[in-house]
Amino acid sequence: MPFALLASTFATVFLAELGDKTQLAILSISGTSNRPGAVFAGSAVALVLASLVGAAAGGSLSSVIPTDGLQLAAAAGFLIIGTRLILRSGAGTGEDSDTPAP
């Protein structure tokens, strides 16, 4: 079943990366350069290295921390980040707003 793991990892990362700030940065860099191949190569190597660090860290952590604990920590982290983003955008009192904070 290594193909199933490979396919699900590819699909997850591919969909997660669509439209994110990394893709927008690559679009911007490519638009100001006449060498899109070099931009592609640089961004591809960067993504591969970042994924390598994540996979190595996850493998190392899973030998020390149970998988359920890692999943719980990741879920809590995403919930905290998401909640903070929602509160900051919905409150209208963020740093970018003209409305003073209470």
Side-chain angles (χ1 to χ4, degrees):
M1 289 288 175
F3 181 74
L5 179 59
L6 177 72
S8 69
T9 303
F10 172 82
T12 301
V13 172
F14 183 78
L15 293 174
E17 293 297 323
L18 283 178
D20 76 343
K21 61 187 176 215
T22 304
Q23 188 178 30
L24 296 175
I26 293 167
L27 180 72
S28 174
I29 294 168
S30 183
T32 60
S33 169
N34 60 356
R35 300 184 60 200
V39 174
F40 170 75
S43 64
V45 170
L47 181 59
V48 167
L49 289 178
S51 297
L52 177 66
V53 169
S60 299
L61 286 176
S62 68
S63 66
V64 178
I65 302 172
T67 303
D68 290 342
L70 284 175
Q71 290 176 343
L72 181 63
F78 278 113
L79 283 173
I80 290 168
I81 292 169
T83 302
R84 289 188 66 197
L85 288 171
I86 290 169
L87 291 175
R88 286 177 68 189
S89 69
T93 58
E95 298 159 1
D96 296 335
S97 175
D98 293 332
T99 307

